[in-house]
């Protein structure tokens, strides 16, 4: 019935599996292997490569754990991407809001040529309070007799407008940008660790 092959392994006849009978299999040979590759025996073939049914369960648990880690890693990376998308959406909203404000200010009535770098003041018209106009005269220069003040803006060199409360921050940003442009690649960032 059983015969040995050229490697010394015992071959058995095919036996039909009976699902009612318990499985008392003690070892399983997962992969055919060469016990002496290139003529050199590296390990004891009787102690390596043979697994019992409990080792197979442990192997299946490791595969399942690897799947869970892969899913968790993908999930965390997708979370970072979602945060970046929300940040970009907020940036896009701010850009659109700035563009709307810039267009509105450029279309506001004024009787002079606007010069970049100068601060201008928006007031409500006395005759028609729903309409506004741009003036070079500050509220302090008008005094108490001036029209109703709305806001102050500086016209930047890129023809965008900066609100008075953001002028210092924007000035610092532009100074840093000009420093970078003037120095080329030799600029030192003091705020970096």
């Amino acid at each position: 019935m059983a015969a040995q092959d050229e490697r010394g392994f015992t071959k058995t006849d095919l036996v039909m599996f009976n699902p009612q009978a318990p499985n008392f299999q003690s070892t399983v040979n997962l992969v055919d292997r060469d016990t002496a590759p290139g003529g050199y025996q590296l390990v004891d073939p009787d102690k390596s490569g043979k697994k019992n049914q409990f080792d197979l369960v442990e192997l299946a648990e490791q595969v399942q754990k690897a799947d869970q880690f892969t899913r968790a890693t993908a999930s965390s990376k997708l979370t970072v991407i979602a945060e970046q998308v929300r940040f970009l959406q907020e940036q896009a909203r701010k850009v659109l809001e700035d563009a709307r404000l810039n267009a509105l200010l450029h279309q506001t009535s004024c009787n002079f040529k606007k010069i970049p770098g100068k601060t201008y003041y928006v007031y409500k018209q006395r005759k028609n309070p729903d309409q506004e106009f741009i003036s070079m005269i500050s509220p302090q220069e008008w005094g108490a007799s001036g029209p109703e003040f709305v806001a102050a803006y500086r016209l930047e060199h890129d023809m965008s407008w900066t609100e008075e409360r953001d002028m210092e921050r924007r000035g610092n940003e532009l100074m840093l940008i000009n420093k970078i442009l003037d120095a080329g690649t030799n600029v030192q960032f003091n705020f970096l660790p």
Side-chain angles (χ1 to χ4, degrees):
M1 281 224 167
Q4 284 192 342
D5 65 6
E6 66 276 356
R7 298 176 293 167
F9 292 105
T10 305
K11 292 187 173 186
T12 59
D13 293 330
L14 180 64
V15 178
M16 292 303 291
F17 175 71
N18 181 0
Q20 305 301 329
N23 183 3
F24 292 111
Q25 184 176 358
S26 61
T27 61
V28 176
N29 191 3
L30 295 175
V31 178
D32 287 337
R33 58 195 163 78
D34 185 0
T35 58
Y40 298 103
Q41 184 169 346
L42 302 175
V43 292
D44 183 2
D46 293 331
K47 294 185 178 177
S48 68
K50 295 185 179 181
K51 303 289 179 186
N52 63 27
Q53 58 197 11
F54 300 111
D55 291 338
L56 290 175
V57 171
E58 185 180 331
L59 179 63
E61 287 174 352
Q62 287 178 347
V63 169
Q64 184 179 13
K65 211 177 271 187
D67 287 344
Q68 290 170 346
F69 281 124
T70 301
R71 185 176 183 85
T73 301
S75 177
S76 67
K77 288 179 181 179
L78 289 173
T79 302
V80 169
I81 290 171
E83 289 171 6
Q84 291 172 344
V85 166
R86 282 191 292 276
F87 174 75
L88 291 173
Q89 285 175 330
E90 179 60 27
Q91 293 290 76
R93 187 201 58 75
K94 186 176 180 330
V95 165
L96 292 172
E97 179 62 29
D98 289 347
R100 187 193 66 76
L101 177 66
N102 289 334
L104 185 65
L105 286 169
H106 281 296
Q107 294 169 4
T108 301
S109 301
C110 79
N111 294 334
F112 55 87
K113 179 181 175 186
K114 294 174 266 194
I115 300 171
K118 300 287 184 187
T119 301
Y120 298 101
Y121 305 90
V122 179
Y123 297 96
K124 290 190 179 280
Q125 291 185 8
R126 286 185 181 152
K127 292 180 183 175
N128 188 357
D130 293 337
Q131 292 186 353
E132 298 170 343
F133 68 96
I134 293 179
S135 173
M136 292 185 270
I137 302 171
S138 72
Q140 293 79 19
E141 293 171 315
W142 276 105
S145 64
E148 183 183 343
F149 174 71
V150 177
Y153 295 92
R154 181 176 62 216
L155 180 61
E156 303 297 345
H157 293 281
D158 62 357
M159 301 307 285
S160 66
W161 294 90
T162 301
E163 195 171 355
E164 185 176 34
R165 64 188 162 117
D166 296 329
M167 285 183 192
E168 184 178 345
R169 179 188 54 79
R170 175 72 188 237
N172 290 339
E173 288 174 1
L174 291 174
M175 192 169 58
L176 179 62
I177 290 169
N178 287 331
K179 194 175 183 182
I180 291 169
L181 292 174
D182 292 342
T185 58
N186 297 329
V187 70
Q188 296 280 331
F189 292 105
N190 296 331
F191 56 87
L192 293 177

